[in-house]
Amino acid sequence: MDDLNVTSDKRTHNWLDTLRSSGYRLTEPRQAVIDILAKSQRALNATEIFDLAREEYPSLGLVSVYRTLEKLEELELIQKVHHPDGCQSFIAGFTGHQHLLICQVCGQTEFFEGDDLAPLIEHVSRESGFTIEEHWLQFFGLCAKCK
Amino acid sequence: MDDLNVTSDKRTHNWLDTLRSSGYRLTEPRQAVIDILAKSQRALNATEIFDLAREEYPSLGLVSVYRTLEKLEELELIQKVHHPDGCQSFIAGFTGHQHLLICQVCGQTEFFEGDDLAPLIEHVSRESGFTIEEHWLQFFGLCAKCK
DNA sequence: TTGATAATGATAACCGTTTTCATTACGCGG
DNA sequence: CCGCGTAATGAAAACGGTTATCATTATCAA
Ligand SMILES: [Mn+2]
Ligand SMILES: [Mn+2]
Ligand SMILES: [Zn+2]
Ligand SMILES: [Zn+2]
């Protein structure tokens, strides 16, 4: 068992705990969906999760995937990823203020932080008359394996 | 006639020229769609354009809106805008490297430039092993009118 | 003015997502 | 443990935005 699996097992356990303590039941369909998402290195959409999860749990229904995604997003355990060719995929969310780095070939996704946009925000704010409250920053490129 | 209209008339004329010189015909449905998009201060989706354009050109079909959007995007005259609640709206595109600033209340959208992400890109690149080729940066806030 | 054909609008098809509903199974209280 | 109330499920149908089909129309080069 490598580091990735240790990490994803921990994450799986944490997600199940959060579901329970939020009053939701721990069901097999939910566990099947969580098992896939917790270990994925890239964002997945409902159909992809459905296909992967059914390899282990063939009776899973697509509707349960949608319903589980809804709850995981509500609990902020996963987040939606916007991408040039689709904005309906999800990845395990990180805590705090982080941004995404996405491989254009294989989709591998990492988080980064450390952006200092304060001066730019200040400047744009003054020029435009807007009060800036949020920002989206996302990098696209080629991961070590794909280049 | 104010500055906005002068600008949007110029833009309309330019778009029609680009269509013609790309071998496309200048039709009334296309002009109706372009009239709306060229002067909009916020991103619009197909249905919104359809409703607005039909006020002037009631025989317009929704399908022609989709087809016109397809061509305007292909010619890089408009661009898709990603937003927390929808990624299927379009706004007149600017030339060069620019980013979007969007009002969370009324949707008014402006472009800005002058971001210097080079040091951050360099840093993230070294840490992650990625070659970074593109970035998305978008600000959200409240425009002067809405705050 | 004419003719070839690009473009149109009405309609149907498509497809990802949501709703409905009878059935199942989770988990608490006994 | 068991039994019960009900949250959750999967199958099926409905929904809504987008795309494909097709007969008709309108653009524009000759
Ligand atoms: Mn940031
Ligand atoms: Mn930039
Ligand atoms: Zn890659
Ligand atoms: Zn506003």
Side-chain angles (χ1 to χ4, degrees):
Chain A
M1 183 184 280
D2 61 18
D3 277 355
L4 170 61
N5 286 332
V6 174
T7 306
S8 83
D9 283 353
K10 264 191 201 160
R11 182 182 282 156
T12 300
H13 186 261
N14 174 46
W15 289 9
L16 295 174
D17 265 5
T18 305
L19 276 177
R20 286 218 67 218
S21 63
S22 304
Y24 296 120
R25 293 180 182 175
L26 259 54
T27 67
E28 289 198 74
R30 278 176 186 162
Q31 297 197 33
V33 169
I34 286 171
D35 281 346
I36 297 303
L37 270 170
K39 70 182 181 213
S40 179
Q41 297 272 87
R42 63 188 184 87
L44 302 171
N45 67 26
T47 309
E48 290 170 324
I49 295 165
F50 179 63
D51 291 340
L52 290 167
R54 270 165 74 98
E55 291 175 9
E56 295 300 315
Y57 186 73
S59 66
L60 177 66
L62 177 58
V63 181
S64 289
V65 176
Y66 281 105
R67 287 188 284 225
T68 303
L69 288 173
E70 201 172 16
K71 284 191 172 45
L72 294 175
E73 191 182 21
E74 164 201 325
L75 297 172
E76 295 181 33
L77 299 173
I78 60 172
Q79 59 185 245
K80 194 173 279 181
V81 176
H82 294 256
H83 194 269
D85 31 71
C87 303
Q88 291 290 114
S89 64
F90 292 86
I91 195 157
F94 273 54
T95 51
H97 183 81
Q98 304 232 8
H99 297 291
L100 293 171
L101 168 60
I102 304 171
C103 176
Q104 290 167 323
V105 175
C106 70
Q108 193 198 321
T109 298
E110 298 190 5
F111 285 79
F112 68 87
E113 50 192 334
D115 60 306
D116 182 15
L117 296 173
L120 177 61
I121 288 174
E122 171 61 26
H123 178 249
V124 171
S125 196
R126 205 169 329 104
E127 294 264 308
S128 63
F130 275 61
T131 303
I132 297 172
E133 310 218 311
E134 277 186 56
H135 64 263
W136 277 1
L137 176 62
Q138 209 160 291
F139 288 167
F140 297 94
L142 284 84
C143 75
K145 277 181 211 148
C146 292
K147 70 188 173 193
Chain B
M1 185 184 279
D2 60 18
D3 277 354
L4 170 62
N5 287 331
V6 172
T7 306
S8 84
D9 283 354
K10 262 188 200 160
R11 181 182 283 157
T12 299
H13 186 260
N14 175 46
W15 290 8
L16 295 174
D17 265 6
T18 305
L19 276 176
R20 286 221 66 215
S21 64
S22 304
Y24 296 120
R25 293 179 182 175
L26 259 52
T27 68
E28 289 198 76
R30 279 175 185 162
Q31 296 196 34
V33 169
I34 286 171
D35 281 344
I36 297 302
L37 270 170
K39 70 181 181 213
S40 179
Q41 297 272 86
R42 63 187 185 88
L44 301 171
N45 67 26
T47 309
E48 290 170 325
I49 295 166
F50 179 64
D51 291 340
L52 290 166
R54 271 165 73 98
E55 291 175 9
E56 295 298 316
Y57 187 74
S59 67
L60 178 67
L62 178 57
V63 182
S64 289
V65 176
Y66 281 105
R67 287 187 285 224
T68 303
L69 288 174
E70 200 172 16
K71 287 197 169 42
L72 294 176
E73 192 182 20
E74 163 201 327
L75 298 172
E76 294 181 36
L77 299 173
I78 60 173
Q79 58 185 245
K80 194 173 282 183
V81 175
H82 295 257
H83 194 270
D85 30 70
C87 303
Q88 291 290 113
S89 64
F90 292 86
I91 196 158
F94 272 52
T95 50
H97 183 81
Q98 303 233 7
H99 297 291
L100 291 172
L101 169 60
I102 304 171
C103 175
Q104 291 167 322
V105 175
C106 70
Q108 192 198 320
T109 298
E110 298 190 5
F111 285 79
F112 68 88
E113 51 193 334
D115 60 306
D116 182 15
L117 297 173
L120 176 62
I121 288 174
E122 171 60 27
H123 178 249
V124 171
S125 196
R126 205 169 329 104
E127 294 265 307
S128 64
F130 274 62
T131 304
I132 297 171
E133 309 217 312
E134 277 187 57
H135 63 262
W136 278 1
L137 176 61
Q138 210 159 291
F139 288 166
F140 297 94
L142 285 82
C143 75
K145 277 181 213 149
C146 292
K147 71 185 174 196

